[in-house]
Amino acid sequence: MASAEVDDGLRSRYRIGAAADGATVVLFRDGQAVRYDRDPRAADMAAWIRRKTGTTVAAVTDARTLERVAGQEVIVAVGLFKGVDQSEPLGYLRVAEEMEEEEPRIRFLVSDNARIFSHLGIHVRSAIVLLKKFDGGRAELTRDLTEAGIREFLRAETVACLVPYTRATSSFVRNHEIADRVLLFVRLMSRSSSSGDGSVETVEGFAEASKLHRGKVLFVIFDVDEVEGRKELEQFGSADECPLLVFVGPRVRRMPDAQSLNKDQIETFIRETYENKKDPEEYDVPKHLKTEL
């Protein structure tokens, strides 16, 4: 432990802020300094240190252990490699190390055990099996197990097709690398079912359309009956316009009063936005709105 107030040289070397900024943890791993610059709460710091000092990818040899881990975690990636060139497992390890601190969190496992292959129903020599508590519960990669292919697969399949905007997901939505987003502002589905405003049909169409753009466009649904949803709605329109569909990307475009939309109609809205079509004019965003999600 060192005092930032006393050792100016140490503070400068590791780019540590003033003491008033609170404690800073610098972990040395394989000769490299890794800074902790997130939530300063002790529990979060401790969890970060455990992850960094542990093994990024754990070996699994029996189905019971695999099922236990899958039951505890939201997302589990299992790398299966049996008698293959070392480039595939090494690529998997490199991607795991790269993504270990990213959101959403992924638990990485690896196995060459025939029982694990059989348990997961894999009959090829190498595969990545993703077990997740959303969007069907499972995804597989059995081709293009290059480092780039594994990375692209994990980045696409670990994001839910449809992300509900809440306090817990707000940071993920704002910071995600997918730049193009389609937003739906709507009242609670339980209320909308009796309101007759077509919200239920639009939500269903929105969910179906989201499956066609996995990994390329982020689909986010906002409940305007909740504080978080109302706050974000202020940037794009008003509650009177809900259901409100908004595209945020190379340009921003709105569809107010988006009642009873099906998948094809939402797809048309997205396609015409990319094609820069401006008809009808009411889809354009009023100049006074900030649109900075």
Side-chain angles (χ1 to χ4, degrees), residues 1-73:
M1 180 180 293
S3 172
E5 293 179 326
V6 175
D7 198 330
D8 290 334
L10 191 66
R11 186 176 67 188
S12 175
R13 180 177 181 182
Y14 296 110
R15 294 174 285 111
I16 298 172
D21 295 335
T24 298
V25 175
V26 180
L27 178 70
F28 293 88
R29 183 177 181 180
D30 297 328
Q32 300 294 318
V34 183
R35 285 168 47 90
Y36 177 85
D37 54 4
R38 300 186 181 187
D39 196 315
R41 291 177 296 184
D44 294 308
M45 281 188 178
W48 179 82
I49 292 171
R50 283 195 298 271
R51 288 195 302 272
K52 285 296 185 182
T53 55
T55 302
T56 303
V57 181
V60 61
T61 58
D62 64 278
R64 181 177 297 180
T65 300
L66 174 59
E67 290 302 315
R68 176 177 56 80
V69 174
Q72 295 171 342
E73 306 288 343

Side-chain angles (χ1 to χ4, degrees), residues 103-104 158-160 163 168-177 181 218:
E103 294 288 349
T158 54
V159 178
V163 181
T169 63
S170 60
S171 177
F172 167 77
V173 171
R174 290 181 180 279
N175 298 322
H176 200 276
E177 64 181 15
R181 289 105 186 275
L218 196 63

Side-chain angles (χ1 to χ4, degrees), residues 56-60 62-80 92 96 99 104-111 116 119-120 127-134 137-141 153-154 157-159:
T56 303
V57 181
V60 61
D62 64 278
R64 181 177 297 180
T65 300
L66 174 59
E67 290 302 315
R68 176 177 56 80
V69 174
Q72 295 171 342
E73 306 288 343
V74 176
I75 306 173
V76 176
V78 187
L80 300 170
Y92 177 68
M99 298 181 67
R105 299 286 188 199
I106 306 172
R107 180 72 178 273
F108 288 94
L109 304 176
V110 66
S111 184
I116 299 298
H119 180 72
L120 292 174
I128 308 296
V129 176
L130 197 67
L131 306 175
K132 50 188 179 177
K133 290 184 168 64
F134 54 88
R138 175 172 171 146
E140 298 175 5
L141 178 68
F153 167 74
L154 290 177
E157 291 292 342
T158 54
V159 178

Side-chain angles (χ1 to χ4, degrees), residues 67-101:
E67 290 302 315
R68 176 177 56 80
V69 174
Q72 295 171 342
E73 306 288 343
V74 176
I75 306 173
V76 176
V78 187
L80 300 170
F81 307 100
K82 183 168 57 179
V84 298
D85 183 271
Q86 288 299 305
S87 62
E88 290 183 354
L90 286 175
Y92 177 68
L93 292 174
R94 283 192 290 266
V95 172
E97 290 179 352
E98 173 187 320
M99 298 181 67
E100 67 173 336
E101 287 299 311

Side-chain angles (χ1 to χ4, degrees), residues 56-290:
T56 303
V57 181
V60 61
T61 58
D62 64 278
R64 181 177 297 180
T65 300
L66 174 59
E67 290 302 315
R68 176 177 56 80
V69 174
Q72 295 171 342
E73 306 288 343
V74 176
I75 306 173
V76 176
V78 187
L80 300 170
F81 307 100
K82 183 168 57 179
V84 298
D85 183 271
Q86 288 299 305
S87 62
E88 290 183 354
L90 286 175
Y92 177 68
L93 292 174
R94 283 192 290 266
V95 172
E97 290 179 352
E98 173 187 320
M99 298 181 67
E100 67 173 336
E101 287 299 311
E102 295 183 7
E103 294 288 349
R105 299 286 188 199
I106 306 172
R107 180 72 178 273
F108 288 94
L109 304 176
V110 66
S111 184
D112 62 358
N113 190 288
R115 288 173 294 182
I116 299 298
F117 275 73
S118 176
H119 180 72
L120 292 174
I122 297 299
H123 305 290
V124 293
R125 297 173 65 186
S126 60
I128 308 296
V129 176
L130 197 67
L131 306 175
K132 50 188 179 177
K133 290 184 168 64
F134 54 88
D135 291 353
R138 175 172 171 146
E140 298 175 5
L141 178 68
T142 56
R143 296 183 179 182
D144 189 23
L145 269 73
T146 61
E147 183 175 339
I150 294 169
R151 182 183 297 107
E152 181 179 356
F153 167 74
L154 290 177
R155 291 200 187 284
E157 291 292 342
T158 54
V159 178
C161 289
L162 184 58
V163 181
Y165 189 87
T166 64
R167 183 177 301 177
T169 63
S170 60
S171 177
F172 167 77
V173 171
R174 290 181 180 279
N175 298 322
H176 200 276
E177 64 181 15
I178 295 178
D180 293 356
R181 289 105 186 275
V182 182
L183 319 177
L184 178 62
F185 295 90
V186 66
R187 296 191 181 282
L188 282 170
M189 284 183 279
S190 60
R191 297 185 185 182
S192 63
S193 61
S194 61
S195 66
D197 65 356
S199 295
V200 172
E201 293 84 351
T202 296
V203 169
E204 292 174 351
F206 192 68
E208 287 299 311
S210 71
K211 299 174 184 178
L212 305 176
H213 297 272
R214 180 188 291 279
K216 297 178 181 178
V217 180
L218 196 63
F219 280 66
V220 188
I221 187 166
F222 297 78
D223 178 7
V224 299
D225 284 331
E226 298 290 341
V227 174
E228 291 80 9
R230 286 198 301 273
K231 182 178 179 182
E232 297 303 324
L233 175 62
E234 293 174 358
Q235 301 186 62
F236 297 95
S238 67
D240 294 338
E241 297 176 304
C242 293
L244 172 63
L245 191 64
V246 182
F247 179 94
V248 180
R251 58 180 295 225
V252 179
R253 195 177 184 215
R254 306 186 320 145
M255 180 188 288
D257 301 318
Q259 301 178 16
S260 303
L261 294 184
N262 59 34
K263 173 180 66 70
D264 293 335
Q265 290 169 309
I266 293 173
E267 274 292 290
T268 298
F269 171 74
I270 296 171
R271 186 185 68 253
E272 291 183 348
T273 304
Y274 275 122
E275 294 173 353
N276 206 31
K277 292 185 177 181
K278 294 186 177 181
D279 181 36
E281 290 296 331
E282 63 264 30
Y283 288 4
D284 289 335
V285 179
K287 294 181 179 179
H288 69 279
L289 296 176
K290 293 186 293 182

